[in-house]
Amino acid sequence: MAFSGLTVLDFSQGVAGPHATMLLALHGADVIKIEPLEGDWGRGLGKIEGDHCAHSIAFNRGKRSLALDLKAPDAIAVVNKIAAKAAVVVESFRPGVITRLGFGYEAIKKANPSVVYCSVSGFGQTGPYSKRPTVDGLIQAFGGMMVMNRLPDGTPWRQGMIAVDVTTGLYTFQALSTAILRQFRFGEGSYIDSSLMRSAAAWQGAKLMEWVHTEGKPQPLYMPAGSYKTSNGYIMVSAMRPHHFRKMFELIGRLDVADDPALQTHEDRIKNAPKIIKALNETMPTRTTEEWIALLQPNDVFCERVNNYQDYLDHPHVRDSGAVDWIKQDGFARMPVANIPGLPAAHEDPERHHAPHIGEHSRDILRELGYTAAQIDGMVTNKAIGAAPPPARAAE
């Protein structure tokens, strides 16, 4: 795999940094997850089973966990040994904290000049908000995303998933991958300042341009486009081109809309969108979602059933295309894994998709660094490291 043989020292917690380092792990890197004795705070997001939640499994697969107290002298010595050989270091403390702990970029670069070092934070390492605490939802508010996701009454609303954290993980992985390539080709290290704020802006780059281009009055890209209630659920329709618009309203029996002189151009349909929305709200509830799809899709009118996650997981196309695999994780029922483009399917290497328990690999990692069993036991006794045995794996 592309990153086989690379050691990654991962101080990150939560979602954004762990997502990026998980992708490195799935591409073959040995990612050593440094977490406090009580575990990464990201293990407590939502319903908890043992020392995991769904998010901690999703974003920590393929890693090894080393639990320790970063203020204990023995633990500091362990981290310095790993840092001296690591190709990549990732941290997500508030700006300034990692430097005070002694593991900032300048300190590690002295022992490891070619290291690729990445800091992941909310607002970045510089600027008046750099040390301001934040979370995904607050960045959605700060970056304008909630205004682009209004409720019908106009109330700004945040995405129901941690969209900015996940996106930041993707942008961070992209930045790390190119930095690793430069390191491989030229032996050069680098420092990467990745933040939720900048990732949210990059993800919305076209919307930022559009806002300026329209003087703060962005219009729909085309009309109709949206979800509408049917007799048994919701359907999403999209009629981008003029012939799509006409065909859809002919098929649903609304020639009054198809022939309306005020709706014949793209600009007309945008201007008179309430007419179109009213017609669809009146007509779509007269049939089931499945009946509308059977009528519209064969005639090249774009539409899809609005699914929940179970609908998606159960869908025959999802199953037959191999989009999702199922894995076992200690303490959990089988868990779905969305297979990532460009990576082997999870069922081809299920062990790589195991998410570690707190300190599950502490003893193994210390033995690899040359520590004796007695030394490791002493560190456990002194609470410099945590190395509790993991629960027994679920039976096959």
Side-chain angles (χ1 to χ4, degrees):
M1 305 187 81
F3 296 138
S4 294
L6 292 184
T7 297
V8 177
L9 179 58
D10 180 14
F11 293 102
S12 68
Q13 298 187 55
V15 171
H19 186 197
T21 53
M22 181 208 70
L23 292 170
L24 294 176
L26 294 184
H27 281 280
D30 178 18
V31 177
I32 299 175
K33 179 178 180 65
I34 303 295
E35 52 186 328
L37 299 177
E38 67 274 15
D40 174 355
W41 62 261
R43 292 177 179 272
L45 296 171
K47 183 180 178 183
I48 302 170
E49 298 287 348
D51 62 0
H52 270 306
C53 62
H55 285 81
S56 67
I57 293 174
F59 298 115
N60 287 289
R61 288 172 284 147
K63 303 178 187 180
R64 298 197 292 168
S65 170
L66 171 56
L68 45 74
D69 177 359
L70 282 175
K71 295 180 180 179
D74 286 340
I76 291 171
V78 169
V79 173
N80 280 329
K81 283 190 176 186
I82 300 171
K85 68 170 186 174
V88 176
V89 176
V90 179
E91 63 92 10
S92 64
F93 292 99
R94 200 174 300 180
V97 172
I98 194 73
T99 299
R100 291 198 297 272
L101 290 170
F103 306 114
Y105 176 54
E106 294 301 328
I108 289 181
K109 187 172 68 168
K110 287 179 181 178
N112 188 351
S114 65
V115 69
V116 170
Y117 193 107
C118 178
S119 295
V120 182
S121 63
F123 286 97
Q125 300 298 304
T126 59
Y129 273 24
S130 61
K131 295 184 180 179
R132 189 181 183 105
T134 195
V135 293
D136 183 283
L138 299 184
I139 294 294
Q140 289 192 33
F142 181 88
M145 189 182 301
M146 287 171 60
V147 173
M148 302 309 296
N149 190 42
R150 293 182 187 273
L151 294 179
D153 67 0
T155 303
W157 202 252
R158 76 173 184 90
Q159 293 284 333
M161 66 168 288
I162 43 177
V164 177
D165 269 312
V166 175
T167 302
T168 301
L170 292 173
Y171 279 120
T172 302
F173 171 71
Q174 169 263 321
L176 287 168
S177 297
T178 54
I180 291 168
L181 179 59
R182 183 169 60 250
Q183 181 190 61
F184 176 76
R185 292 186 64 196
F186 307 116
E188 296 178 0
S190 58
Y191 179 79
I192 299 167
D193 177 2
S194 181
S195 70
L196 273 67
M197 182 196 71
R198 292 180 66 178
S199 295
W203 191 33
Q204 299 176 94
K207 300 303 289 184
L208 293 175
M209 293 182 183
E210 180 186 59
W211 182 270
V212 173
H213 179 58
T214 63
E215 298 180 339
K217 298 177 181 178
Q219 62 185 32
L221 300 182
Y222 49 89
M223 179 58 64
S227 60
Y228 295 90
K229 187 171 179 56
T230 64
S231 65
N232 68 338
Y234 287 87
I235 188 170
M236 181 75 183
V237 298
S238 180
M240 182 185 300
R241 298 183 179 181
H243 66 278
H244 293 147
F245 169 78
R246 168 162 287 279
K247 177 63 74 172
M248 182 174 74
F249 281 97
E250 287 176 349
L251 289 168
I252 70 172
R254 292 300 299 261
L255 288 175
D256 58 316
V257 178
D259 294 333
D260 189 332
L263 299 174
Q264 296 309 302
T265 69
H266 171 78
E267 290 75 15
D268 288 340
R269 289 188 288 277
I270 297 298
K271 179 181 177 181
N272 296 303
K275 273 190 173 184
I276 298 173
I277 294 169
K278 181 176 183 293
L280 289 170
N281 282 332
E282 290 170 349
T283 307
M284 302 314 283
T286 62
R287 297 192 188 188
T288 67
T289 301
E290 291 71 27
E291 287 172 334
W292 285 125
I293 289 175
L295 174 66
L296 298 173
Q297 279 191 349
N299 288 283
D300 296 326
V301 175
F302 296 174
C303 60
E304 284 293 347
R305 181 177 187 262
V306 177
N307 290 330
N308 63 31
Y309 288 134
Q310 193 61 53
D311 296 329
Y312 177 82
L313 292 171
D314 292 341
H315 198 283
H317 178 77
V318 173
R319 182 184 64 246
D320 294 347
S321 65
V324 172
D325 273 328
W326 293 81
I327 62 170
K328 293 179 180 178
Q329 174 72 30
D330 309 336
F332 279 75
R334 287 198 317 149
M335 301 288 282
V337 173
N339 284 319
I340 299 170
L343 281 170
H347 75 269
E348 296 180 22
D349 190 3
E351 281 300 309
R352 188 173 295 279
H353 290 270
H354 172 70
H357 297 284
I358 301 170
E360 179 175 345
H361 303 94
S362 295
R363 291 182 181 275
D364 290 342
I365 293 167
L366 266 60
R367 279 194 293 267
E368 292 168 9
L369 293 172
Y371 289 92
T372 66
Q375 289 173 318
I376 296 171
D377 288 341
M379 290 187 216
V380 173
T381 300
N382 294 333
K383 296 185 178 179
I385 68 164
R393 295 287 183 90
E396 294 296 327

